Amino acid sequence: MKNLKFLVVEDEKLAQKVMAKHLEEYVVDFAETKEAALHKLQAADYDICFFDLMLGKKDNCSGLKLIPPAVSKGAYVVVMSSLDSEEIVNKAYESGCHDFYVKGNEEANISAVLARYQQKNASANAVTVFSEQFITDDPQTRSDILEVLKYARSSLPILILGQSGTGKTCLARLIHEHSGRAGQFIDINCSAYNQELLEAEIFGYKKGAFTGAYENRRGKLLEADKGTLFLDEIGAMSPDMQTKLLKAIEEKSFYPVGSDKKERSEFRVISATLEDLQKLLTEEKLRFDFFQRIHGFTIALKPLSQRKSDIFPLISAFTRTSKKLSFEKHARTLLLNHTWPGNIRELKRFIDVAAAGDGMITQDTVLRHTAQAMKTERQSDGFLAQEQYDCALAKGLNGAMEKFAYEVIKRSLLQHAGKKVKTLKELKISKRMLYSTLRKFEGKKDGIKI
Amino acid sequence: MESKSETRELLHDIESKTAGLRSAAKILRECPPKEKKELICLMKQSAQDILKYLTNLEKEINS
């Protein structure tokens, strides 16, 4: 969604100033007279127009005359007035305005107007969000994303949790695109820098501040002015750095490294981490006060293995502009049963590689890939995966071991196209164990269908 | 008749100016110094206007 553009028609200088302050993260044009407003409406398109009812001395509600031309250009029109008689309110709505408020409490009034505007556009947005911007068919993920988008227009900080490759950056960008903020989306991966470099990147620096600072440089905070600052992998940020950033977030001002000139920036913070939050707090890698400041709303993205209905819609999206792929039946089953430890990033890589070939995805193509992926997962995460540990905590060790045995048997059967003899030989288990495990989890003797 | 209309207009102006003043007072705290000065200047002007309108209203009532 594009950044919001406002037209405020108001003859009082003080009221203009107040509106400018409340709308400072958006693009706002002002007009003081009806004529100036009509000129601006002809020259540009606005998303939301605020019209003062009375423009000038002895005025006969000329603000009402601006409503039809603004509505005809698709703007959401709001009338604001210190008069709220039934007659006036009726006249405003009859002229086609969408909203009316009584002046005097602008902060609450404007935020309520923005919420109503967002609600009006929400249903139209939902269609494009899940088919183009964040592809998912998973009901829970859709519902979580719609919930977080309700806060997109506020300045509320948002914390996104999820494994690597689950779409955290994509979601942060989506929230920014729905925020209507005029500034840019600026992202920084905190784990990609050592602490000194991270500070210089975030706050910027003055020429000569340190060896190698050959010129003044704007930091991410200034680049994110009126926009969004996305801090990925916040767990990698040192407690000292968290303290400095906390101050900048609270005061919306900061000093670049080596500078004594305070800079101001009206940025909104979205953070993300793939680590266990509780663990980060317990180990004091994440300061509690910093955590309190960045988790206004928290959303956890499920790994791809828990939203398998997204695998083929994602594949369709990845191949929208490239070669179409053809999948063998067994290849489809294997893709759905793979755990995708690298999540969407891994799926994208797999599709890129597959699309570079002949376009036919066979069982072998998938097995080759999944074997490599599991090898990589073993190398990076060690023997015990987080999911297995969580399962042991939930079901007890015996329950988790049974589940683990089932998953191993299931994968082996899939890889051998359901041939149990090969699975028995490969896993060195008895027929009794194989059948009792399958019966326990699938409730039938013959085991899983391939 | 004229006087009634004048009174109504004065009341509207007073309502409008005080609403503006109230909204401005709410953002004063978080304004950086330069903006604060500018805002205070506009608020003082508004306050003077309110005083002028109240004096005129008082005259209207007494006449």
Side-chain angles (χ1 to χ4, degrees):
Chain A
M1 186 187 246
K2 62 194 164 81
N3 297 328
L4 289 182
K5 193 169 178 187
F6 291 77
L7 174 64
V8 176
V9 184
E10 171 61 76
D11 57 335
E12 289 273 346
K13 288 272 181 227
L14 183 62
Q16 277 185 23
K17 189 83 193 155
V18 170
M19 293 296 282
K21 185 74 189 164
H22 286 302
L23 297 171
E24 67 185 350
E25 66 255 45
Y26 305 106
V27 176
V28 188
D29 278 348
F30 286 93
E32 289 187 15
T33 62
K34 189 182 85 181
E35 291 67 33
L38 285 170
H39 184 71
K40 283 192 184 284
L41 279 169
Q42 272 176 356
D45 290 327
Y46 296 96
D47 299 293
I48 303 181
C49 295
F50 285 92
F51 296 150
D52 184 16
L53 194 63
M54 314 276 259
L55 296 168
K57 281 276 171 201
K58 310 234 182 243
D59 183 62
N60 188 21
C61 300
S62 61
L64 293 179
K65 297 188 177 69
L66 296 170
I67 300 173
V71 170
S72 71
K73 289 196 79 181
Y76 185 83
V77 175
V78 186
V79 173
M80 46 189 188
S81 173
S82 49
L83 297 175
D84 64 341
S85 71
E86 200 174 324
E87 188 198 346
I88 293 286
V89 177
N90 284 345
K91 265 190 184 174
Y93 281 109
E94 276 165 18
S95 303
C97 86
H98 301 94
D99 227 316
F100 187 107
Y101 75 75
V102 181
K103 287 178 171 184
N105 190 6
E106 307 328 292
E107 187 178 11
N109 284 332
I110 291 170
S111 93
V113 163
L114 290 178
R116 286 194 286 272
Y117 170 79
Q118 186 195 6
Q119 206 170 19
K120 186 174 171 280
N121 288 290
S123 51
N125 288 341
V127 179
T128 51
V129 165
F130 299 122
S131 62
E132 289 172 18
Q133 295 168 297
F134 193 105
I135 292 154
T136 179
D137 274 354
D138 180 61
Q140 179 67 51
T141 306
R142 280 186 169 215
S143 152
D144 288 349
I145 289 175
L146 287 177
E147 189 62 26
V148 76
L149 288 181
K150 285 184 188 167
Y151 301 94
R153 288 188 191 286
S154 72
S155 302
L156 192 74
I158 290 171
L159 177 60
I160 306 171
L161 309 176
Q163 292 176 7
S164 179
T166 47
K168 297 190 290 295
T169 306
C170 179
L171 177 57
R173 195 178 287 279
L174 180 69
I175 296 167
H176 170 74
E177 284 168 3
H178 281 71
S179 71
R181 299 176 78 89
Q184 298 180 70
F185 175 80
I186 302 293
D187 62 333
I188 181 163
N189 187 326
C190 302
S191 71
Y193 302 89
N194 67 35
Q195 294 311 304
E196 288 76 21
L197 274 177
L198 184 63
E199 185 176 354
E201 274 296 312
I202 290 181
F203 291 95
Y205 52 82
K206 201 180 162 188
K207 183 180 174 184
F210 49 83
T211 314
Y214 299 119
E215 54 188 17
N216 292 340
R217 182 161 170 188
R218 282 157 63 87
K220 301 283 183 190
L221 287 183
L222 213 50
E223 284 180 17
D225 187 23
K226 295 184 179 174
T228 303
L229 177 70
F230 175 53
L231 301 163
D232 200 4
E233 300 203 28
I234 43 155
M237 195 186 283
S238 74
D240 271 358
M241 185 65 203
Q242 290 173 31
T243 310
K244 288 176 188 165
L245 193 53
L246 175 65
K247 197 165 154 42
I249 293 171
E250 283 179 342
E251 296 177 3
K252 299 287 180 209
S253 61
F254 60 92
Y255 291 96
V257 179
S259 169
D260 53 6
K261 188 179 163 230
K262 199 184 248 189
E263 299 281 3
R264 281 189 64 79
S265 176
E266 199 57 48
F267 59 95
R268 190 255 190 96
V269 176
I270 301 181
S271 324
T273 182
L274 49 79
E275 295 176 78
D276 180 351
L277 263 186
Q278 202 52 51
K279 196 169 160 229
L280 286 175
L281 286 165
T282 312
E283 292 175 356
E284 297 181 351
K285 285 184 182 165
L286 190 63
R287 287 179 60 100
F288 188 69
D289 49 3
F290 182 67
F291 165 69
Q292 291 283 38
R293 201 67 187 78
I294 59 166
H295 90 304
F297 184 91
T298 302
I299 177 170
L301 289 174
K302 291 201 277 187
L304 192 55
S305 59
Q306 288 174 29
R307 44 182 169 119
K308 293 194 169 169
S309 58
D310 288 352
I311 291 175
F312 284 97
L314 281 165
I315 290 174
S316 297
F318 295 152
T319 54
R320 208 172 273 164
T321 54
S322 63
K323 189 190 321 182
K324 295 286 168 234
L325 301 175
S326 171
F327 293 84
E328 275 184 0
K329 192 180 164 199
H330 284 327
R332 282 182 175 271
T333 314
L334 283 171
L335 283 174
L336 288 173
N337 282 289
H338 179 47
T339 53
W340 299 106
N343 294 294
I344 299 165
R345 194 174 291 124
E346 181 190 344
L347 178 63
K348 172 83 169 69
R349 196 177 55 238
F350 169 73
I351 295 302
D352 286 346
V353 172
D358 61 6
M360 186 66 179
I361 310 296
T362 64
Q363 192 174 347
D364 280 350
T365 320
V366 183
L367 284 174
R368 246 194 332 269
H369 163 78
T370 51
Q372 183 58 39
M374 297 319 290
K375 195 176 158 195
T376 311
E377 183 187 31
R378 277 195 297 273
Q379 282 166 352
S380 59
D381 292 348
F383 180 73
L384 182 66
Q386 185 63 39
E387 205 177 342
Q388 293 166 339
Y389 184 65
D390 291 342
C391 178
L393 295 179
K395 297 185 172 187
L397 187 55
N398 286 338
M401 283 167 73
E402 283 176 349
K403 172 88 173 132
F404 177 71
Y406 167 68
E407 291 295 336
V408 172
I409 290 169
K410 192 169 82 164
R411 183 178 299 173
S412 170
L413 282 168
L414 279 167
Q415 292 191 353
H416 296 302
K419 292 189 175 81
K420 295 184 187 70
V421 178
K422 286 193 174 178
T423 293
L424 290 170
K425 194 176 167 191
E426 183 181 70
L427 298 180
K428 301 176 186 68
I429 55 172
S430 66
K431 277 185 186 172
R432 192 177 160 190
M433 184 183 178
L434 184 136
Y435 284 112
S436 67
T437 306
L438 293 177
R439 201 180 304 120
K440 184 173 175 68
F441 285 89
E442 298 180 357
K444 56 183 183 283
K445 196 178 175 181
D446 293 340
I448 58 172
K449 286 180 184 167
I450 306 282
Chain B
M1 199 65 176
E2 176 67 21
S3 166
K4 210 170 181 182
S5 144
E6 294 245 325
T7 306
R8 202 167 52 228
E9 202 179 309
L10 277 170
L11 282 169
H12 166 259
D13 288 344
I14 291 165
E15 273 186 54
S16 179
K17 291 277 180 189
T18 48
L21 209 51
R22 181 167 175 250
S23 295
K26 284 190 178 172
I27 58 169
L28 197 56
R29 193 191 302 257
E30 63 198 54
C31 279
K34 197 181 158 201
E35 265 183 59
K36 202 175 272 183
K37 273 186 194 167
E38 203 182 327
L39 194 64
I40 289 172
C41 185
L42 289 169
M43 288 173 78
K44 279 167 75 176
Q45 183 60 53
S46 253
Q48 278 166 8
D49 289 343
I50 292 172
L51 186 65
K52 191 173 79 189
Y53 296 147
L54 285 172
T55 311
N56 290 346
L57 186 64
E58 201 172 28
K59 276 185 200 160
E60 282 283 327
I61 293 167
N62 292 335
S63 62

